[in-house]
Each structure stands twice: as structure tokens, then as C-alpha cells.
Amino acid sequence: VSLVSTFFVSFSLASTDFFAFVSVFVAFVVLAFAIFSVLDFTSLTGFDSSFLTCFKTIAVLAGGFDHIYPVTNIKLFNELVKNNLVISEYRPDVKPEVYHFPVRNRIIAGLSKAVIVTEAGEKSGSLHTVNYAIEFNRDLFIVPGRINSPMSKGSNALIKNLQGCITTCPEDVLN
């Protein structure tokens, strides 16, 4: 599989405002044009993400195959293992721990040609992925968020520190 069109899209669906909608829209349009995507299960909590099985997807777990986290994604996991790739560096019986997620994000950044951050709080786990992406010389795209939103403090700080390209539409990434 070519890494030429591999994207990791980081987003949070905790916010329901217009900016979150635009962020998710940009992420999904980019995914639609990607050959395959790298999936972070924890970003999809409480969201019907079954449509992602339409894409060639690599899902990276923060624990073993016997402990899908969050449990609301077991159905998605079962769909993905049929025609996609689900990987973990842990034995099947290992439960996901807080410190596993930054390690897992290293793998996500390594598999990706580009990381797209659509929303990240000040202490978002997506910032670990960003740091690995920078270390691995991956392209980094950031969707700007509302300046007064706690869910945008991390992504806006990346822009302020000139650590990535601002993206406001799918063409920014695809070109």
C-alpha cells in the first residue's frame, strides 16, 4: 500500500458548534480522496463512524485486540477487521492504559504522509501525534478554530508557533 495518500485526521466531536462542523467536513472530504486513512478509535466516541469502513483504513489500537476502547467502537472494530487492517503492538490481553496512547500516536504518525488537526485542546493527545509528525518530517495541516474555544487552544497554538500549514478547505491538503 502506498503511503503517498495516507492521512491521519485528528478531530474531536465534543463540540457541536459551526466550527466543529466545518472541521469534520474538511476531514471527511480529505478522507474521501485518500487511498487509505489511519484511524484513531478514541476520536470517534459517540459518533456513528461505520461509514469509515468504505475507506481503506488502518486502525491503530492502544491496547490488545481483546480490549477495544472505547467499547462503543466494538461494532466498528468488527467491521474494520473484515476488509481493512487493525494493528496493535500489544498482546491481545493487554488493556489500554493512559500511557499507551502517546506510544500509539507514534505509530499513527509513522504510517501517515500527513497529519491534519481539525481541533485540539491545550492538552489534546493529538499534540503527541503532531510532535511525532514533525519528528518524522510529515506534512502537518491545521484547521484554525475559534480563539475563545478551549477545544481549539492546542490547534491555534500550533498555528501561532508556525508549526503547520493552515488549511481551510480540502484543496489545501490535496494540492
Side-chain angles (χ1 to χ4, degrees):
V1 177
S2 170
L3 292 179
V4 173
S5 296
T6 309
F7 299 94
F8 168 68
V9 181
S10 166
F11 57 91
S12 167
L13 296 169
S15 178
T16 57
D17 64 13
F18 176 74
F19 288 94
F21 170 78
V22 170
S23 297
V24 171
F25 174 76
V26 169
F28 292 152
V29 170
V30 168
L31 283 174
F33 287 96
I35 291 175
F36 70 90
S37 60
V38 181
L39 178 63
D40 169 1
F41 271 7
T42 56
S43 295
L44 302 172
T45 305
F47 181 70
D48 180 11
S49 55
S50 57
F51 74 94
L52 285 175
T53 60
C54 302
F55 305 107
K56 297 291 185 196
T57 301
I58 300 173
V60 185
L61 305 180
F65 289 97
D66 294 342
H67 298 281
I68 304 306
Y69 178 84
V71 295
T72 54
N73 285 330
I74 289 175
K75 180 181 174 189
L76 174 61
F77 169 80
N78 289 331
E79 288 298 314
L80 286 172
V81 295
K82 291 177 186 174
N83 296 305
N84 294 279
L85 179 62
V86 181
I87 62 174
S88 174
E89 64 180 319
Y90 300 102
R91 293 184 324 271
D93 63 328
V94 175
K95 292 181 179 179
E97 301 287 346
V98 172
Y99 57 88
H100 290 175
F101 290 91
V103 174
R104 185 268 326 259
N105 292 359
R106 179 193 88 244
I107 297 170
I108 291 173
L111 289 171
S112 301
K113 181 183 188 308
V115 171
I116 305 165
V117 179
T118 63
E119 189 173 64
E122 201 168 18
K123 297 183 186 237
S124 171
S126 298
L127 301 179
H128 291 289
T129 312
V130 164
N131 289 332
Y132 287 122
I134 292 168
E135 181 181 337
F136 300 155
N137 200 31
R138 302 299 192 244
D139 291 334
L140 178 60
F141 298 93
I142 306 150
V143 177
R146 296 175 77 165
I147 60 171
N148 60 349
S149 170
M151 297 301 291
S152 297
K153 282 189 176 187
S155 46
N156 287 342
L158 292 171
I159 293 168
K160 182 178 177 181
N161 295 327
L162 304 175
Q163 289 186 285
C165 298
I166 295 175
T167 183
T168 57
C169 64
E171 290 79 20
D172 293 343
V173 177
L174 298 173
N175 294 330

